[in-house]
Amino acid sequence: GAVVSQHPSRVICKSGTSVKIECRSLDFQATTMFWYRQFPKQSLMLMATSNEGSKATYEQGVEKDKFLINHASLTLSTLTVTSAHPEDSSFYICSATDGPFFGSGTRLTVV
Amino acid sequence: SQKIEQNSEALNIQEGKTATLTCNYTNYSPAYLQWYRQDPGRGPVFLLLIRENEKEKRKERLKVTFDTTLKQSLFHITASQPADSATYLCALGGGGNKLTFGTGTQLKVEL
């Protein structure tokens, strides 16, 4: 099946710094990718839809200036958490179109 | 507003028994419903998809039913094994490949 690679799997950063998370489709081209966030014991919540070559579409309540999404190629989407704060600590997961395939997730801890 | 409910409490069963997990939804008319498995610290892994015009789907030891009148899906694992222990998520899909997830049910299969 299709493979979605997400990197890094874990990251710890200081409050106020920025963190970039990469999501790659390894064996197919993805014109659309999706970014989710999952807090402990909670559901995956869609944050934004990443569209290759155009601006991302953000869900209500998600700050686009804080969560920067870039989808510059058909195989790579990046999510940058800018000026991270402890409340941004969460599990971030990407998925790609062409099927319900998800990355392995990134555990972000902001200290 | 749209709501998806899964058993919030963990389901403990004995090895060899059939596990049945429930997904109920309201204010939603999904075109399809998916079931995922999620292990701790990992992204969801796709298991089965069932469309609105399908009543039942099977894959090896897994069976999913979909009742659009009751607005409910049941997920069965027969001959359960300790390796089946995980959190199982249902997700409803519609236009644009967007998925809305339930909070998941934790299954523990005991020896």
Side-chain angles (χ1 to χ4, degrees), chain A residues 13-19 66 81-89 108-111:
Chain A
C13 70
K14 289 186 177 180
S15 195
T17 61
S18 296
V19 173
K66 181 168 184 62
V81 183
T82 62
S83 186
H85 291 285
E87 57 265 31
D88 298 324
S89 298
L108 170 64
T109 303
V110 184
V111 297

Side-chain angles (χ1 to χ4, degrees), chain A residues 34 36 38 41-44 46 49 59 91 93 97 100 102-105 107, chain B residues 34 36 38 41-46 89 96-103 106:
Chain A
F34 302 89
Y36 294 83
Q38 185 179 34
K41 304 290 185 185
Q42 293 188 26
S43 175
L44 276 75
L46 181 65
T49 303
E59 296 300 302
F91 193 52
I93 311 170
T97 190
F102 285 77
S104 54
R107 172 72 60 193
Chain B
Q34 300 179 0
Y36 289 82
Q38 187 175 26
R42 306 291 293 175
V45 174
F46 172 74
L89 307 169
N97 290 334
K98 280 189 178 183
L99 291 176
T100 304
F101 282 85
T103 51
Q106 186 177 7

Side-chain angles (χ1 to χ4, degrees), chain A residues 2-87:
Chain A
V3 177
V4 177
S5 173
Q6 190 171 340
H7 178 81
S9 58
R10 289 176 178 269
V11 59
I12 300 174
C13 70
K14 289 186 177 180
S15 195
T17 61
S18 296
V19 173
K20 182 185 283 188
I21 302 169
E22 293 187 349
C23 181
R24 293 180 185 274
S25 56
L26 296 186
D27 53 0
F28 65 100
Q29 294 181 333
T31 54
T32 306
M33 290 186 176
F34 302 89
W35 287 95
Y36 294 83
R37 180 167 55 182
Q38 185 179 34
F39 291 105
K41 304 290 185 185
Q42 293 188 26
S43 175
L44 276 75
M45 296 300 295
L46 181 65
M47 298 175 64
T49 303
S50 170
N51 303 300
E52 188 269 334
S54 63
K55 289 184 179 180
T57 304
Y58 291 82
E59 296 300 302
Q60 192 172 10
V62 178
E63 300 175 57
K64 61 180 182 180
D65 294 330
K66 181 168 184 62
F67 299 99
L68 300 180
I69 290 173
N70 185 284
H71 194 154
S73 78
L74 287 170
T75 59
L76 174 64
S77 175
T78 61
L79 168 69
T80 301
V81 183
T82 62
S83 186
H85 291 285
E87 57 265 31

Side-chain angles (χ1 to χ4, degrees), chain B residues 6-76:
Chain B
Q6 294 186 252
N7 311 55
S8 57
E9 294 182 11
L11 177 64
N12 297 333
I13 65 167
Q14 264 192 324
E15 183 180 20
K17 302 290 186 184
T18 296
T20 298
L21 285 67
T22 304
C23 177
N24 294 299
Y25 60 92
T26 54
N27 297 323
Y28 208 128
S29 295
Y32 57 89
L33 187 148
Q34 300 179 0
W35 283 90
Y36 289 82
R37 169 184 173 137
Q38 187 175 26
D39 290 286
R42 306 291 293 175
V45 174
F46 172 74
L47 297 174
L48 279 169
L49 178 151
I50 187 165
R51 300 189 186 281
E52 60 179 336
N53 60 347
E54 297 175 312
K55 296 289 186 185
E56 182 179 298
K57 208 85 172 271
R58 290 175 185 260
K59 179 183 176 183
E60 297 172 354
R61 294 186 295 114
L62 308 180
K63 185 178 87 170
V64 172
T65 63
F66 193 9
D67 189 325
T68 54
T69 301
L70 289 179
K71 295 187 181 296
Q72 180 183 77
S73 174
L74 299 179
F75 177 77
H76 306 273

